[in-house]
Amino acid sequence: MVCAKLKPAVSGLQEEFPGQVKALNLDATTPEAKKAIQELGFKSHGLVIRSTDGKVLFKQPDHAVNLDDARKAITEILGRQN
């Protein structure tokens, strides 16, 4: 399973990859999220795809989020797991 942390507008990825993707929307203003944002190299927010053990597999910072690129990355990641 891939865990994708997404903004509400893109949380439909969970429905596109049923049973394979878990989409979470996180509040980027919490102290924990601010630390994660800094560690990921984001300015204020972004999209992160993690493995079930938390390893970052794909990320897009701030306003550079591209859903087509995220879909492609998810497809490739899931293909490697099969």
Side-chain angles (χ1 to χ4, degrees), residues 17-79:
F17 298 92
Q20 297 176 298
V21 171
K22 181 178 180 182
L24 303 171
N25 295 301
L26 303 176
D27 180 353
T29 64
T30 67
E32 298 84 14
K34 286 180 180 182
K35 180 180 176 190
I37 287 166
Q38 183 179 16
E39 289 171 355
L40 289 163
F42 297 169
K43 290 181 182 174
S44 62
H45 63 283
L47 179 144
V48 181
I49 298 173
R50 296 181 183 267
S51 64
T52 55
D53 65 359
K55 180 180 174 188
V56 175
L57 304 174
F58 178 83
K59 65 182 182 174
Q60 292 180 317
D62 306 290
H63 296 285
V65 172
N66 180 305
L67 275 181
D68 290 333
D69 289 345
R71 283 184 188 94
K72 181 178 176 184
I74 291 169
T75 300
E76 290 174 3
I77 291 163
L78 294 173

Side-chain angles (χ1 to χ4, degrees), residues 2-6 10-15 21-25:
V2 176
C3 180
K5 297 178 181 174
L6 312 167
V10 295
S11 60
L13 290 172
Q14 183 168 301
E15 294 174 12
V21 171
K22 181 178 180 182
L24 303 171
N25 295 301

